[in-house]
Amino acid sequence: MKRQSKGTNMIKTFVVIGDFVLLNAVLLWFHYYASELTPPFFQEAPRTILLVANLSMAIAMNQLPSIIHRRRVKFEQLFNRVLSYSLLQSALMFVFLRIISSGGQLFRFMFIFAAIMFAATFLIRSIERFVLRYYRLLGKNTRSVVFIGNDPSILMIYNEMTSDMATGYKIAGYYSNDTFADCPEELKHLGSLDRLVQEMETDEKENETNTQHKKSAIELAEEVYCSLSHDNSDLISRIMRYCDQNVIHFYYVPRMLGNLQLRLKPERFGDVTIFTSHQEPLAYFRNRLIKRAFDFIVSFLVCLCMLPFLPIIAAIIKLSSPGPVLFKQARTGLNGKTFMCYKFRSMHVNKDADMAQATLDDPRKFAFGRFMRKTNIDEFPQFFNVLLGDMSIVGPRPHMLHHTEVYGQLIDKYMVRHFSKPGITGWAQVTGFRGETKELWQMEERIKRDIWYIENWSFWLDIKIIFKTAITLFWNDKNAY
């Protein structure tokens, strides 16, 4: 049996030891150098305090272990885990200390202690992450990977693994009856599926007789990623059994249909596991509550700050062009329902408003309207839509009803974007797909990004998108017109 996890277990051990050293160092600092911040009983029973603190950390560590050893860890994942871990450890310590002591100043101390532990732990994790990445770049703590099949989804996994060499994956190659079209030179074709079966059988026979032999790629693999059709169900079962017997991690990669990937995620239906193609993070009440609370607070503050400027903007619009100050248009919202979207009017009143997109040199726009569109000022009334609950600050941009009807017929999965509330800004808009869609592929790319946002939502992703959008207030987006 392979000793696959030796390096990873060593990393986990170092992280655990480092956390306990950090905890005790912080407590000793309080004891010797900041005693005025600690409750009186801290000086009377320091050993008891150390015992309680270390016990609290052990429990928190068991419930929320470090994820630094994972091969692909995003900044926001690391931040969230450290924050949750520090808060749980501090809360447990507070409860235990409250039980054994009635001394004062405990709440103030625990607040300061939690802040220091979070900051110090996050700093340590960042250093550990940097060291680990460097360690893997040296060829240490690597994982040998074999692919099976030539579905395009395998290439997507390969590109993810090789996009950052610090992840520590070593790709041996792939087994398939047919080779990849436009295959990277570094991705080696190891042979047909028949050869794969032959190598597995040879390995099993040689193991039974304890005979030494030259090991094949599948024998040396630590992870196997398989993307075969269900017509090969017997072979898939055979590969899974081989992986189980040889302590190889087996992963099944859903095949792609045309240029679309099946993003299947497990759900429990009684005692049965089923798979759904869409399980959005915002399907969970907690996430919806966080997003709605953020939307309401921010949009309320924005609307409040905009009040002094409304008469000035309204006057300039009126002087620039006859007609209403606000432009109202029916658009498609959450679950395909229609709502009225508000904007400052940036065009002369025209009959094509509900059918035609704005173009670069659109004669319908007046001078101040061009300025508002360039700086996104025209979108500010949509914060009122956010207050009403029809929109979110971040989400897929709401399309006019005509476009929903047209593109719903032309683009597969177009309607999936309506599983989320529409937004004032979105992932597509900050990744280069804002404005006019002259060709169908531009709208297809926008839809892909809208769906990606829905499937990968996080609070930190919203913050990132808002930050990128705010930059356009000072540096004009070339697609804003």
Coordinates of all heavy atoms in Angstrom, one line a residue, residues 333-380:
G333 N -36.8 39.2 -14.1 CA -36.1 39.1 -12.8 C -36.0 37.7 -12.3 O -36.0 36.7 -13.0
L334 N -36.0 37.5 -10.9 CA -35.8 36.2 -10.3 C -36.9 35.3 -10.7 O -38.1 35.6 -10.7 CB -35.9 36.4 -8.8 CG -35.7 35.2 -7.9 CD1 -34.4 34.5 -8.1 CD2 -36.0 35.5 -6.4
N335 N -36.5 34.1 -11.1 CA -37.5 33.0 -11.5 C -38.3 33.4 -12.7 O -39.4 32.9 -12.9 CB -38.4 32.6 -10.3 CG -37.6 32.0 -9.2 OD1 -36.7 31.2 -9.4 ND2 -38.0 32.3 -8.0
G336 N -37.7 34.3 -13.5 CA -38.4 34.7 -14.8 C -39.5 35.7 -14.6 O -40.2 36.0 -15.6
K337 N -39.7 36.2 -13.4 CA -40.8 37.2 -13.2 C -40.4 38.6 -13.7 O -39.2 38.9 -13.6 CB -41.1 37.2 -11.7 CG -41.7 35.9 -11.1 CD -42.1 36.0 -9.7 CE -42.6 34.7 -9.1 NZ -42.9 34.8 -7.7
T338 N -41.4 39.3 -14.1 CA -41.2 40.7 -14.6 C -41.2 41.7 -13.5 O -42.1 41.6 -12.6 CB -42.2 41.0 -15.7 OG1 -42.1 40.0 -16.8 CG2 -42.0 42.4 -16.3
F339 N -40.3 42.7 -13.6 CA -40.4 43.8 -12.6 C -40.0 45.1 -13.4 O -39.4 45.0 -14.5 CB -39.4 43.5 -11.5 CG -37.9 43.7 -11.8 CD1 -37.3 44.9 -11.5 CD2 -37.3 42.7 -12.5 CE1 -35.9 45.0 -11.9 CE2 -35.9 42.8 -12.8 CZ -35.3 44.0 -12.5
M340 N -40.3 46.2 -12.8 CA -39.9 47.5 -13.4 C -38.6 47.9 -12.9 O -38.3 48.1 -11.7 CB -41.0 48.5 -13.0 CG -42.4 48.2 -13.6 SD -42.4 48.1 -15.4 CE -41.8 49.7 -15.9
C341 N -37.7 48.1 -13.8 CA -36.3 48.5 -13.5 C -36.2 50.0 -13.7 O -36.6 50.6 -14.7 CB -35.3 47.8 -14.4 SG -33.6 48.2 -14.1
Y342 N -35.5 50.7 -12.8 CA -35.4 52.2 -12.8 C -34.0 52.6 -13.2 O -33.0 52.0 -12.7 CB -35.8 52.8 -11.5 CG -37.2 52.5 -11.1 CD1 -37.6 51.5 -10.2 CD2 -38.3 53.2 -11.7 CE1 -38.9 51.2 -9.9 CE2 -39.6 53.0 -11.3 CZ -39.9 52.0 -10.5 OH -41.2 51.7 -10.1
K343 N -33.8 53.7 -14.0 CA -32.5 54.3 -14.3 C -32.8 55.8 -14.5 O -33.9 56.2 -14.8 CB -31.9 53.7 -15.6 CG -31.6 52.2 -15.5 CD -31.1 51.7 -16.9 CE -29.8 52.3 -17.2 NZ -29.2 51.7 -18.5
F344 N -31.7 56.5 -14.4 CA -31.8 57.9 -14.8 C -31.8 57.9 -16.3 O -31.0 57.2 -17.0 CB -30.6 58.7 -14.3 CG -30.7 59.1 -12.9 CD1 -29.6 58.8 -12.0 CD2 -31.8 59.8 -12.4 CE1 -29.7 59.2 -10.7 CE2 -31.8 60.2 -11.1 CZ -30.8 59.9 -10.2
R345 N -32.7 58.7 -16.9 CA -32.9 58.6 -18.4 C -31.6 59.3 -19.0 O -31.3 60.4 -18.7 CB -34.1 59.4 -18.8 CG -34.4 59.3 -20.3 CD -35.8 59.9 -20.6 NE -36.0 61.2 -20.2 CZ -35.6 62.3 -20.9 NH1 -35.1 62.2 -22.1 NH2 -35.8 63.5 -20.4
S346 N -31.0 58.5 -19.9 CA -29.8 59.0 -20.6 C -30.0 59.1 -22.1 O -29.0 59.5 -22.8 CB -28.6 58.0 -20.3 OG -29.0 56.7 -20.8
M347 N -31.2 58.9 -22.6 CA -31.5 59.0 -24.0 C -32.7 59.9 -24.2 O -33.6 60.0 -23.3 CB -31.8 57.6 -24.6 CG -30.6 56.7 -24.7 SD -31.0 55.1 -25.5 CE -29.4 54.3 -25.5
H348 N -32.8 60.4 -25.4 CA -34.1 61.1 -25.8 C -35.2 60.0 -25.8 O -35.0 58.8 -26.1 CB -34.0 61.7 -27.1 CG -32.9 62.8 -27.2 ND1 -33.0 64.0 -26.5 CD2 -31.7 62.8 -27.9 CE1 -31.9 64.7 -26.8 NE2 -31.1 64.0 -27.6
V349 N -36.4 60.4 -25.5 CA -37.5 59.5 -25.6 C -37.6 59.0 -27.0 O -37.6 59.7 -28.0 CB -38.8 60.2 -25.2 CG1 -40.0 59.3 -25.3 CG2 -38.7 60.7 -23.7
N350 N -37.7 57.6 -27.1 CA -37.8 57.0 -28.5 C -38.6 55.7 -28.4 O -38.8 55.1 -27.4 CB -36.3 56.7 -29.0 CG -35.6 55.7 -28.1 OD1 -35.7 54.5 -28.4 ND2 -34.9 56.2 -27.0
K351 N -39.0 55.3 -29.6 CA -39.9 54.1 -29.7 C -39.1 52.8 -29.6 O -39.7 51.7 -29.5 CB -40.7 54.2 -31.0 CG -39.9 54.2 -32.2 CD -40.7 54.3 -33.5 CE -39.9 54.3 -34.7 NZ -40.7 54.3 -36.0
D352 N -37.8 52.8 -29.8 CA -37.0 51.6 -29.8 C -36.4 51.2 -28.5 O -35.6 50.3 -28.4 CB -35.9 51.8 -30.8 CG -36.4 52.0 -32.2 OD1 -37.4 51.3 -32.6 OD2 -35.7 52.8 -33.0
A353 N -36.8 51.9 -27.4 CA -36.2 51.7 -26.1 C -36.3 50.3 -25.6 O -35.4 49.8 -24.9 CB -36.8 52.7 -25.1
D354 N -37.4 49.7 -25.9 CA -37.6 48.3 -25.4 C -37.2 47.2 -26.4 O -37.4 46.0 -26.1 CB -39.1 48.1 -25.1 CG -39.7 48.9 -24.0 OD1 -38.8 49.3 -23.1 OD2 -40.8 49.3 -24.0
M355 N -36.5 47.6 -27.4 CA -36.1 46.6 -28.4 C -34.6 46.6 -28.7 O -33.9 45.6 -28.9 CB -36.9 46.8 -29.7 CG -38.4 46.8 -29.6 SD -39.0 45.1 -29.2 CE -38.8 44.4 -30.9
A356 N -34.0 47.8 -28.8 CA -32.6 48.0 -29.3 C -31.7 48.4 -28.1 O -32.0 49.2 -27.3 CB -32.6 49.0 -30.4
Q357 N -30.5 47.7 -28.1 CA -29.4 48.1 -27.2 C -28.8 49.4 -27.6 O -28.8 49.8 -28.7 CB -28.4 47.0 -27.2 CG -28.8 45.7 -26.5 CD -27.7 44.7 -26.6 OE1 -27.1 44.4 -27.6 NE2 -27.3 44.1 -25.4
A358 N -28.1 50.0 -26.6 CA -27.4 51.2 -26.8 C -26.1 50.9 -27.6 O -25.4 49.9 -27.3 CB -27.0 51.9 -25.5
T359 N -25.7 51.7 -28.6 CA -24.5 51.5 -29.4 C -23.5 52.6 -29.1 O -23.8 53.5 -28.4 CB -24.8 51.4 -30.9 OG1 -25.5 52.7 -31.2 CG2 -25.8 50.3 -31.2
L360 N -22.3 52.4 -29.6 CA -21.2 53.3 -29.3 C -21.6 54.8 -29.6 O -21.4 55.7 -28.8 CB -19.9 52.9 -30.0 CG -18.7 53.8 -29.8 CD1 -18.3 53.8 -28.3 CD2 -17.5 53.2 -30.6
D361 N -22.0 55.0 -30.8 CA -22.4 56.4 -31.3 C -23.9 56.5 -31.4 O -24.3 57.1 -32.4 CB -21.6 56.7 -32.6 CG -20.1 56.7 -32.4 OD1 -19.6 57.3 -31.5 OD2 -19.5 56.0 -33.3
D362 N -24.6 56.0 -30.5 CA -26.1 56.0 -30.5 C -26.6 57.4 -30.6 O -26.3 58.2 -29.6 CB -26.6 55.2 -29.3 CG -28.0 54.8 -29.6 OD1 -28.8 55.5 -30.1 OD2 -28.3 53.6 -29.2
P363 N -27.3 57.8 -31.6 CA -27.8 59.2 -31.7 C -28.9 59.5 -30.7 O -29.3 60.7 -30.4 CB -28.4 59.3 -33.1 CG -28.7 57.8 -33.5 CD -27.7 57.0 -32.8
R364 N -29.5 58.4 -30.0 CA -30.5 58.7 -29.1 C -30.0 59.3 -27.8 O -30.8 59.8 -27.0 CB -31.2 57.3 -28.7 CG -31.9 56.7 -29.9 CD -32.5 55.3 -29.6 NE -31.5 54.4 -29.3 CZ -31.7 53.2 -28.7 NH1 -32.9 52.8 -28.5 NH2 -30.7 52.3 -28.5
K365 N -28.7 59.1 -27.5 CA -28.1 59.6 -26.2 C -27.9 61.1 -26.3 O -27.4 61.6 -27.3 CB -26.8 58.9 -25.9 CG -27.0 57.4 -25.6 CD -25.7 56.8 -25.3 CE -24.8 56.6 -26.5 NZ -23.6 55.8 -26.2
F366 N -28.1 61.8 -25.2 CA -27.8 63.2 -25.2 C -26.4 63.4 -24.4 O -26.0 62.4 -23.7 CB -28.9 64.1 -24.6 CG -29.5 63.6 -23.3 CD1 -28.9 63.9 -22.1 CD2 -30.6 62.8 -23.3 CE1 -29.4 63.5 -20.9 CE2 -31.2 62.4 -22.1 CZ -30.6 62.7 -20.9
A367 N -25.8 64.5 -24.4 CA -24.5 64.7 -23.8 C -24.4 64.3 -22.4 O -23.5 63.5 -22.0 CB -24.1 66.2 -24.0
F368 N -25.2 64.8 -21.5 CA -25.1 64.4 -20.1 C -25.4 62.9 -19.9 O -24.9 62.3 -19.0 CB -26.1 65.3 -19.3 CG -26.0 65.0 -17.8 CD1 -24.8 65.3 -17.1 CD2 -27.0 64.4 -17.1 CE1 -24.7 65.1 -15.7 CE2 -27.0 64.2 -15.7 CZ -25.8 64.5 -15.0
G369 N -26.3 62.4 -20.8 CA -26.6 60.9 -20.7 C -25.4 60.1 -21.0 O -25.1 59.1 -20.4
R370 N -24.5 60.6 -22.0 CA -23.3 59.8 -22.2 C -22.4 59.8 -21.0 O -21.8 58.8 -20.7 CB -22.5 60.5 -23.4 CG -23.2 60.3 -24.8 CD -22.3 60.7 -25.9 NE -23.0 60.5 -27.2 CZ -23.7 61.5 -27.8 NH1 -23.8 62.7 -27.2 NH2 -24.3 61.3 -28.9
F371 N -22.3 61.0 -20.3 CA -21.5 61.1 -19.1 C -22.0 60.1 -18.0 O -21.2 59.4 -17.4 CB -21.5 62.5 -18.6 CG -20.9 62.7 -17.3 CD1 -19.5 62.7 -17.1 CD2 -21.7 62.9 -16.2 CE1 -18.9 62.8 -15.8 CE2 -21.1 63.0 -14.9 CZ -19.8 63.0 -14.7
M372 N -23.3 60.1 -17.9 CA -23.9 59.3 -16.8 C -23.6 57.8 -17.1 O -23.3 57.0 -16.2 CB -25.4 59.5 -16.7 CG -25.8 60.8 -16.1 SD -27.5 60.8 -15.6 CE -28.3 60.7 -17.2
R373 N -23.7 57.4 -18.4 CA -23.5 56.0 -18.8 C -22.0 55.6 -18.6 O -21.7 54.5 -18.2 CB -23.9 55.7 -20.2 CG -25.4 55.9 -20.4 CD -25.9 55.7 -21.8 NE -25.9 54.3 -22.1 CZ -27.0 53.6 -22.1 NH1 -28.2 54.1 -21.7 NH2 -27.0 52.3 -22.4
K374 N -21.1 56.5 -18.9 CA -19.7 56.3 -18.8 C -19.3 56.1 -17.3 O -18.4 55.3 -17.0 CB -18.9 57.5 -19.3 CG -18.7 57.5 -20.9 CD -17.7 56.4 -21.3 CE -17.4 56.5 -22.8 NZ -16.4 55.5 -23.2
T375 N -19.9 56.8 -16.4 CA -19.6 56.8 -15.0 C -20.5 56.0 -14.2 O -20.4 55.9 -12.9 CB -19.6 58.2 -14.4 OG1 -20.8 58.8 -14.7 CG2 -18.5 59.0 -15.1
N376 N -21.5 55.3 -14.8 CA -22.5 54.4 -14.1 C -23.5 55.2 -13.3 O -24.3 54.6 -12.5 CB -21.8 53.4 -13.3 CG -21.0 52.4 -14.1 OD1 -21.4 51.9 -15.1 ND2 -19.7 52.2 -13.7
I377 N -23.5 56.5 -13.4 CA -24.4 57.3 -12.6 C -25.9 57.0 -12.9 O -26.8 57.0 -12.0 CB -24.2 58.8 -12.7 CG1 -22.8 59.2 -12.1 CG2 -25.3 59.7 -12.1 CD1 -22.4 60.6 -12.3
D378 N -26.1 56.6 -14.2 CA -27.5 56.3 -14.6 C -28.1 55.1 -13.9 O -29.3 54.9 -13.8 CB -27.6 56.1 -16.1 CG -26.8 54.9 -16.6 OD1 -25.6 54.7 -16.1 OD2 -27.3 54.2 -17.4
E379 N -27.2 54.3 -13.3 CA -27.7 53.0 -12.7 C -28.1 53.3 -11.2 O -28.7 52.4 -10.6 CB -26.6 52.0 -12.7 CG -25.9 51.7 -14.0 CD -26.8 50.8 -14.9 OE1 -27.9 50.4 -14.5 OE2 -26.4 50.6 -16.1
F380 N -27.8 54.4 -10.6 CA -28.0 54.6 -9.2 C -29.5 54.4 -8.8 O -29.7 53.9 -7.7 CB -27.5 56.0 -8.8 CG -26.1 56.0 -8.4 CD1 -25.1 56.3 -9.3 CD2 -25.7 55.6 -7.1 CE1 -23.8 56.3 -9.0 CE2 -24.3 55.6 -6.8 CZ -23.4 55.9 -7.7

